[in-house]
Amino acid sequence: MQAQEPESRQLVGLQFLYGSGEAAAVSLGTYRSLETHALAMAADRPEFSVIVTPEATLDAPSYVPCGDKPLAVVFDVDETVTLNTGLGYNQFTGGNSSLAAEHPVRAAPGAVEAIRRLEQAGITAIYNTNRTVDMAELVAGFLVSIGLDRPVMGENYFLNGMDELGGNKDGRRWTIAEDWCVVAMAGDQLGDFAQILNTVEPVPARRAAAMTGPYAGNWGNGWFLLPNTAYGRALEGDVGDIFPEMVEAAN
Amino acid sequence: MQAQEPESRQLVGLQFLYGSGEAAAVSLGTYRSLETHALAMAADRPEFSVIVTPEATLDAPSYVPCGDKPLAVVFDVDETVTLNTGLGYNQFTGGNSSLAAEHPVRAAPGAVEAIRRLEQAGITAIYNTNRTVDMAELVAGFLVSIGLDRPVMGENYFLNGMDELGGNKDGRRWTIAEDWCVVAMAGDQLGDFAQILNTVEPVPARRAAAMTGPYAGNWGNGWFLLPNTAYGRALEGDVGDIFPEMVEAAN
C-alpha cells in the first residue's frame, strides 16, 4: 500500500501521540501517578468521590459522598485506555475511518498494567465512554484485545445512550457514584471529568476554568488527564484564543 | 496588528499546548505528581539520584549515588517551567522569532507553585537548559518574570556551553549530581532525562526505548515529562514511523 500524505494539519498531533517516546513517557507517568494516588486513597478511605454533584457550579464545587461504597476508578476508553492507531493510520491511507468499524488499537502505555494492579488491590475499573451503545460489543472487544477483562454493561461499562444526557457523561458518573466510591478518574477531555468545565466558552475561558478555578487542585489529585493531540476539544481556537494576552497587548 | 495564518502544520500543536484547558490540566497534574514524589523522597532519602551515570547503557541502567548530599530537583526551562507564548504568537504575526530576543513568556501551569513548595521543604530547584550561555541573563529574566528567584550560574543554573558536550545535557547532570541528591527531574524532551534515550534512532526505536526498556519505570517515579506539541523531537516521523505495526501488517 502506498502511504499518502495526511492532512498536514493533523500530522504534528499524530506524530506526538502515536509516534513519540515523549508521549509514551507522559502516558506511563500519568498512569503511575494515578495508581499511586488510588492506592493511597484505598489505604485511607476518602470522604468524597472525585465526581462532582449535580449541584456543583464553576465557583462552588461539591462532590458525591463515599459512604462505605466499594472503591473504583473511572476510565474513559478512547485515547485514554486504548490508542486508536487504526483510525489514525487510515488518515494517511484512506482506509475505513468509521468509528463503528473494527480496526487495530494499541494499549495506552501503562494503562493495562495500572488497571491490573488496581484490581489486585480491590479497586474496580469502570469504563465510561462516549461511544454509543450500538458500539458496546466493538469497544469491549478493543479492551479485550489489549489484555483487559471484558466489561459488563451497566456494571462496570457505561456508554453514550444509556441515559437521556447523550454525550454529557455527568449522568453516567452520577449513576456510578451511587454505587461506588470513585477515588480517581482518567480521560483525555475535560468532559471526562466534569461537564461544567467542558461547556465553558470561549476557549480561553475554558482553559481558565480548568487551570485557575476551584477545580484546578484536582489535576494529579484524583483527576488524571492524558494529552490527546489527534482530535478533540483541545484542538480549537484561533490566534486570539490561544494567545489572548498577546493579542490584547498588541491592540 | 492583523493576525495571519500560521503554518497549518503547527496550528494543532499551538492550540493544544498554549490554548487548551486539557494541556493546563496535564501540566498541573504533572507538577502535582512531581511535588508529591519529591516530598516523599525527602521524607525517606533515596539511595540514588534519578540521574544516570556515564556507564549506563540502554540495557543496563545505573544511577549516581546520593550519599548525604542535599536534595534537589532539576528542571528544564523552555516548555517545562516557562511557556514561550511570545515565540508561538510570533509564528502567527511575523514578529521577532529569535530565541535570543526578549518576548513574553507564561509560567507553565503549576510550575511556580510546585517550585515554591519544594523550596519550603528544603529541596533546591536547579535549572538545566539548552539555551546557550550567551542567553543566561535573558532566560534568568524569564524565570524572574514568572515569579521565581533569579538563578545563579554554576550553582543552580546550567546552560549549553558550560562544558564540552554542547546540547547533550548529560555532562551538566553529572556535574549537578556530584553535589546534589536529585530526587526528581522535569522536562519536555527525552534528552532532559538521559541522552542515551534521546539519541536512539529511528523514531519507533526511540519510543520503544522510553516505553518498554528498563527506564520505563522512571516515568512518574522521578522523571516527569510535560507534553511539548509546539516543537522538538517528539514531532518527527512519517507514517511508517508513527504506525510501524500497521505498515508492516499492510505489506
Side-chain angles (χ1 to χ4, degrees), chain B residues 179-199:
Chain B
D179 292 332
W180 301 90
C181 172
V182 179
V183 294
M185 290 196 285
D188 64 301
Q189 305 288 318
L190 296 179
D192 291 326
F193 301 90
Q195 187 69 359
I196 43 173
L197 294 180
N198 198 39
T199 52

Side-chain angles (χ1 to χ4, degrees), chain B residues 95-108:
Chain B
N96 189 332
S97 61
S98 165
L99 262 179
E102 186 72 46
H103 56 73
V105 301
R106 286 187 210 150

Side-chain angles (χ1 to χ4, degrees), chain B residues 162-249:
Chain B
M162 288 175 67
D163 64 22
E164 307 298 307
L165 297 186
N168 172 354
K169 290 182 164 183
D170 274 349
R172 283 172 267 150
R173 276 189 286 266
W174 296 328
T175 298
I176 293 165
E178 284 177 17
D179 292 332
W180 301 90
C181 172
V182 179
V183 294
M185 290 196 285
D188 64 301
Q189 305 288 318
L190 296 179
D192 291 326
F193 301 90
Q195 187 69 359
I196 43 173
L197 294 180
N198 198 39
T199 52
V200 175
E201 298 287 356
V203 166
R206 192 157 72 246
R207 181 171 169 104
M211 185 169 69
T212 59
Y215 297 94
N218 288 338
W219 303 115
N221 185 32
W223 290 6
F224 295 86
L225 195 142
L226 294 144
N228 181 353
T229 56
Y231 60 86
R233 302 208 68 198
L235 313 182
E236 294 182 357
D238 61 18
V239 60
D241 294 313
I242 303 170
F243 307 103
E245 79 280 30
M246 308 287 292
V247 172
E248 192 174 329

Side-chain angles (χ1 to χ4, degrees), chain B residues 99-122:
Chain B
L99 262 179
E102 186 72 46
H103 56 73
V105 301
R106 286 187 210 150
V112 175
E113 296 80 359
I115 288 171
R116 285 282 175 229
R117 285 190 290 256
L118 292 173
E119 290 176 334
Q120 284 163 14

Side-chain angles (χ1 to χ4, degrees), chain A residues 3 8-9 12 15 17-18 20 22 25-26 32-33 106 109 190 203 207 219 221 225 236-237 239 242 245, chain B residues 3 8-9 12 14-15 17-20 22 25-26 32-33 106 190 207 219 221 225 236-237 239 242 245:
Chain A
S8 66
R9 182 177 183 282
V12 160
Q15 287 171 319
L17 181 58
Y18 302 126
S20 77
E22 281 80 0
V26 173
R32 174 99 186 195
S33 298
R106 287 187 209 150
L190 296 179
V203 166
R207 180 172 170 103
W219 303 115
N221 185 31
L225 196 142
E236 294 181 357
V239 60
I242 304 170
E245 79 280 31
Chain B
S8 66
R9 181 179 183 280
V12 161
L14 300 175
Q15 287 171 319
L17 182 58
Y18 302 127
S20 77
E22 281 80 0
V26 173
R32 173 101 187 196
S33 298
R106 286 187 210 150
L190 296 179
R207 181 171 169 104
W219 303 115
N221 185 32
L225 195 142
E236 294 182 357
V239 60
I242 303 170
E245 79 280 30

Side-chain angles (χ1 to χ4, degrees), chain B residues 39-215:
Chain B
L39 295 178
M41 292 295 105
D44 182 18
R45 284 184 60 92
E47 193 175 349
F48 295 98
S49 277
V50 295
I51 291 179
V52 301
T53 68
E55 292 74 33
T57 65
L58 278 180
D59 295 328
S62 69
Y63 298 91
V64 179
C66 268
D68 57 0
K69 300 168 205 171
L71 300 173
V73 173
V74 175
F75 297 89
D76 175 46
V77 177
D78 294 284
E79 272 52 52
T80 298
V81 174
T82 60
L83 296 182
N84 283 297
T85 41
L87 283 176
Y89 176 72
N90 289 346
Q91 293 185 332
F92 287 80
T93 57
N96 189 332
S97 61
S98 165
L99 262 179
E102 186 72 46
H103 56 73
V105 301
R106 286 187 210 150
V112 175
E113 296 80 359
I115 288 171
R116 285 282 175 229
R117 285 190 290 256
L118 292 173
E119 290 176 334
Q120 284 163 14
I123 302 170
T124 297
I126 297 178
Y127 305 98
N128 185 12
T129 174
N130 263 346
R131 299 275 196 138
T132 48
V133 287
D134 58 299
M135 289 188 268
E137 282 307 304
L138 179 77
V139 176
F142 289 151
L143 293 172
V144 170
S145 79
I146 62 169
L148 293 168
D149 295 336
R150 185 174 293 274
V152 179
M153 265 183 75
E155 294 188 11
N156 71 331
Y157 189 26
F158 296 83
L159 301 101
N160 183 341
M162 288 175 67
D163 64 22
E164 307 298 307
L165 297 186
N168 172 354
K169 290 182 164 183
D170 274 349
R172 283 172 267 150
R173 276 189 286 266
W174 296 328
T175 298
I176 293 165
E178 284 177 17
D179 292 332
W180 301 90
C181 172
V182 179
V183 294
M185 290 196 285
D188 64 301
Q189 305 288 318
L190 296 179
D192 291 326
F193 301 90
Q195 187 69 359
I196 43 173
L197 294 180
N198 198 39
T199 52
V200 175
E201 298 287 356
V203 166
R206 192 157 72 246
R207 181 171 169 104
M211 185 169 69
T212 59
Y215 297 94

